[in-house]
Amino acid sequence: MDWHAGTGGWLCYVLDNEWRDHIAAVEQNEGNKAAMIYAVQYCIRNLRWLLYRHFMASVIGISEWPKDWPQWSHAEAGRREYEQSKRTGGYREAA
């Protein structure tokens, strides 16, 4: 879990709430087609970022996720962090 990869081969590259908010905003402002294109780009960007971090860690021999690499926590803790950041105006994109 520390590397945002779980058993069964899944990768944690975006929080459900964050995905919903971003895609819905584009859909509302620019329509379905723009939202579909944005969703694809968003997914690819986040996966590329995560896989790059995995690659760099293997190259330089890091075994723990560095604290200066942005991330949300997993599951409910991450959702709380995300929602709190929206309420306080401190939203940061994690991936």
Side-chain angles (χ1 to χ4, degrees):
M1 287 296 277
D2 290 343
W3 286 94
H4 301 274
T7 58
W10 61 267
L11 292 172
C12 179
Y13 61 92
V14 67
L15 292 170
D16 294 345
N17 299 32
E18 186 177 22
W19 174 265
R20 180 199 63 226
D21 291 348
H22 284 249
I23 305 309
V26 174
E27 184 176 31
Q28 181 179 5
N29 294 325
E30 300 179 37
N32 290 337
K33 184 175 180 182
M36 288 187 304
I37 292 167
Y38 179 77
V40 168
Q41 292 170 342
Y42 192 80
C43 179
I44 290 170
R45 184 200 66 178
N46 284 14
L47 281 170
R48 181 182 295 145
W49 187 92
L50 179 57
L51 292 173
Y52 174 74
R53 295 303 191 265
H54 279 246
F55 173 72
M56 288 306 301
S58 71
V59 168
I60 59 179
I62 301 173
S63 61
E64 292 185 26
W65 189 272
K67 300 235 184 272
D68 61 337
W69 288 1
Q71 68 171 338
W72 299 114
S73 296
H74 296 282
E76 189 55 36
R79 286 188 281 280
R80 282 192 308 269
E81 291 170 6
Y82 172 70
E83 293 301 327
Q84 175 69 21
S85 74
K86 289 189 334 183
R87 284 191 300 277
T88 61
Y91 175 75
R92 62 177 169 75
E93 228 174 277

